[in-house]
Amino acid sequence: MFRLDEHLKVYLHRAPVDFRLNINGLAALVQQALGLDPFAACVYVFSNRRRDRVKVLGWDRNGFWLLLKRLEEDRFIWPSETAVPTLTVEQLHWLLEGIDIGVVQRHPQRMYQHAG
């Protein structure tokens, strides 16, 4: 599977998009609909209406790259919150693997003073 740097910021576009949009159309959508900079060091994730395809748009120093994943029989489980969320790269990988990130919870990180 394709892996991204764990420190990369990931933005999820909530509404489905027309998958005929290419790099220029998605970059314009990032700028106009999300109010974000398409040239920033982060990735933007889009899905179609049927939720069987995902496109990931990113800028890398001197050009855009576009990653597409199409499921043959399944559907992606898309979070339903209203705000534009930021995900961790790990959550993006979970989303691409079909895991419902809305119900996954980690144990809280604990900070201890001493061991004994």
Side-chain angles (χ1 to χ4, degrees):
M1 179 181 160
F2 185 79
R3 289 281 177 191
L4 299 168
D5 178 26
E6 68 182 50
H7 301 294
L8 194 63
K9 195 169 226 177
V10 178
Y11 291 97
L12 187 68
H13 188 269
R14 295 273 183 209
V17 300
D18 181 353
F19 260 43
R20 293 175 291 183
L21 289 176
N22 58 15
I23 290 173
N24 292 338
L26 292 174
L29 190 61
V30 166
Q31 195 169 24
Q32 295 169 1
L34 298 178
L36 299 170
D37 180 13
F39 300 102
C42 52
V43 294
Y44 305 95
V45 183
F46 305 91
S47 178
N48 63 346
R49 185 173 309 280
R50 292 179 50 204
R51 300 288 192 224
D52 65 344
R53 296 178 187 195
V54 166
K55 282 188 178 181
V56 180
L57 177 71
W59 174 259
D60 184 26
R61 295 182 350 209
N62 59 358
F64 284 104
W65 52 264
L66 185 63
L67 177 66
L68 169 72
K69 182 170 183 178
R70 180 185 74 191
L71 298 178
E72 295 302 320
E73 296 183 23
D74 298 312
R75 302 285 182 259
F76 291 103
I77 302 168
W78 217 246
S80 60
E81 297 173 19
T82 56
V84 176
T86 58
L87 303 176
T88 65
V89 171
E90 183 177 33
Q91 288 172 318
L92 173 59
H93 291 185
W94 292 344
L95 179 83
L96 294 174
E97 288 293 323
I99 297 171
D100 186 351
I101 61 175
V103 298
V104 173
Q105 293 183 12
R106 289 181 172 258
H107 291 277
Q109 185 174 1
R110 309 254 187 232
M111 302 298 274
Y112 296 100
Q113 297 284 326
H114 34 103

